Amino acid sequence: MRRALRLAEKGRGWVLPNPMVGAILVKDGERIGEGFHQKYGEDHAEVAALKNMKGSAEGATLYVTLEPCSHTGKTPPCAEAVIKAGIKKVVIAVKDPSEKVNGKGIELLKKAGIEVELGLLEKEARELNKNFFTFHEKKRPFISAKVALSLDGKMAESRDKRTFLTGPLSEKISHGLRHEHQAILVGSGTILADDPQLNVRAIEGRNPLRIILKGDRELPKDAAIFRDENFLVLENKNVEEILKELHEKGITSVLVEGGKEVLESFFSAEVIDEFHFFYAPKILGQKSLGLSFNENDLSFSQISVRKSGRDVYLRLKAEWDSGKA
């Protein structure tokens, strides 16, 4: 199962909005096939493992990181492929939480006489697809916040002036975050001040949907965000309305990049699941633009701290309920 989880990881970003899934076929103590979901619309992990196997799957055991699907989407049901292959046992890390599956795949397998074991490395499997589980269980996208700051906690020299803080390695990490989220979100102020591309350039990856929160200020028609049809403008909506609309549109994960008011509003709504702070070795001074997180009490877990060139990168999981009575 650990090998299947590592395989699944290879699909990060490429399979969105689907979950990452890996599968291993074992027979007579030997691994005879393995596969993972490589790209949205292509073979799911179970089918990939069957196509890559040596010999016959008759009597084999399948290890898979997520419950096999039971419905026809971009591909046929994986549960039926498993049944047709003659597999005798399926070991599943975690049940699929989506309404289309949610135990139906397991039920199909059991009706076909296949032994099913559920829960092996469940915690690790849920963490791998935390975006997918948040979307289906909380009925909203998984929200990450990416913030570049000076050592004194400032975002920019002023509201309307673009300030370059972090270095090229931090940019690569940031673009990796864009690749692994289905959408990226900024406010209209960021568009007016920076005219950003909001794409993936520093690494090989897929470009996220560009979401712009628009207030009363007009956006220039020739802004870089309007270069193609991969954008969504949401006008005069609060955070609750934004999350509801994005869930209805099937957006499973969003990277919030700014600006100040947007980040503070998502923080105040207590919906940020993960924080990505990039601290640059600079001090911008008291008159510069900073963030205000004073009204909320927040603890963190799964804390990761590492150097990013001259910068420091902190990845933190938010624990909103831990500090409350």
Side-chain angles (χ1 to χ4, degrees):
M1 189 63 79
R2 293 193 187 280
R3 168 65 179 167
L5 287 166
R6 289 195 297 271
L7 283 174
E9 176 71 34
K10 294 182 178 182
R12 183 174 294 279
W14 299 110
V15 302
L16 291 170
N18 286 352
M20 293 171 278
V21 184
I24 306 283
L25 281 165
V26 177
K27 187 175 180 179
D28 299 326
E30 299 290 334
R31 190 166 66 225
I32 63 169
E34 62 181 31
F36 66 98
H37 187 22
Q38 296 188 34
K39 196 172 183 180
Y40 178 69
E42 296 184 358
D43 289 336
H44 288 188
E46 301 92 327
V47 174
L50 288 168
K51 287 184 176 180
N52 294 333
M53 73 178 171
K54 297 178 181 178
S56 170
E58 189 76 33
T61 297
L62 172 69
Y63 292 82
V64 63
T65 59
L66 187 71
E67 176 186 3
C69 62
S70 54
H71 65 286
T72 299
K74 291 286 184 181
T75 61
C78 293
E80 290 185 5
V82 171
I83 293 167
K84 289 178 182 178
I87 292 170
K88 72 172 184 178
K89 182 178 180 179
V90 179
V91 182
I92 302 167
V94 64
K95 188 167 70 170
D96 188 323
S98 66
E99 292 180 2
K100 291 181 178 179
V101 186
N102 196 21
K104 297 182 182 72
I106 293 173
E107 185 179 347
L108 280 176
L109 297 176
K110 288 183 175 180
K111 282 185 177 180
I114 296 175
E115 181 185 352
V116 177
E117 180 182 327
L118 179 65
L120 180 62
L121 299 184
E122 178 178 354
K123 181 180 178 181
E124 292 85 345
R126 285 183 62 91
E127 177 64 23
L128 175 72
N129 283 306
K130 54 194 175 186
N131 298 4
F132 185 70
F133 281 91
T134 296
F135 178 81
H136 289 288
E137 293 176 349
K138 294 187 177 181
K139 307 302 179 186
R140 66 163 175 81
F142 182 93
I143 303 296
S144 298
K146 177 256 173 179
V147 192
L149 295 169
S150 63
L151 291 180
D152 53 343
K154 306 297 183 178
M155 297 179 65
E157 293 178 30
S158 66
R159 185 178 301 277
D160 299 319
K161 182 178 180 180
R162 187 173 188 180
T163 304
F164 294 94
L165 287 173
T166 55
L169 185 54
S170 294
E171 182 184 31
K172 282 188 175 183
I173 297 172
S174 297
H175 284 216
L177 292 173
R178 291 179 178 183
H179 166 70
E180 67 182 64
H181 287 78
Q182 194 175 350
I184 182 172
L185 183 149
V186 299
S188 56
T190 298
I191 305 302
L192 293 168
D194 299 346
D195 191 23
Q197 296 284 329
L198 301 183
N199 61 1
V200 176
R201 305 181 303 278
I203 64 165
E204 180 184 358
R206 50 165 289 285
N207 289 323
L209 172 70
R210 304 181 297 276
I211 302 173
I212 302 93
L213 304 186
K214 182 181 178 301
D216 297 328
R217 291 189 288 179
E218 289 300 318
L219 299 174
K221 294 181 180 179
D222 61 349
I225 53 162
F226 298 133
R227 64 187 177 274
D228 56 35
E229 298 301 314
N230 191 34
F231 71 88
L232 173 66
V233 177
L234 301 178
E235 294 193 42
N236 296 312
K237 293 181 181 292
N238 61 36
V239 172
E240 183 179 354
E241 292 169 333
I242 292 165
L243 297 181
K244 184 176 184 295
E245 182 165 342
L246 295 182
H247 182 267
E248 290 172 351
K249 291 181 179 295
I251 306 300
T252 59
S253 57
V254 178
L255 178 66
V256 179
E257 283 205 9
K260 170 182 165 64
E261 289 81 5
V262 172
L263 284 164
E264 289 175 352
S265 65
F266 274 80
F267 186 89
S268 295
E270 300 188 357
V271 294
I272 300 175
D273 299 292
E274 196 165 79
F275 287 81
H276 302 266
F277 287 107
F278 294 84
Y279 281 93
K282 299 178 181 180
I283 293 177
L284 295 182
Q286 190 173 0
K287 294 183 179 180
S288 300
L289 189 69
L291 284 174
S292 177
F293 290 157
N294 296 332
E295 295 181 3
N296 301 71
D297 181 23
L298 175 61
S299 299
F300 297 103
S301 66
Q302 296 184 9
I303 300 171
S304 169
V305 183
R306 63 186 174 102
K307 285 197 67 179
S308 175
R310 296 181 64 201
D311 310 323
V312 176
Y313 169 41
L314 279 73
R315 185 170 189 158
L316 310 165
K317 180 182 178 182
E319 299 286 347
W320 290 104
D321 296 329
S322 63
K324 298 179 180 178

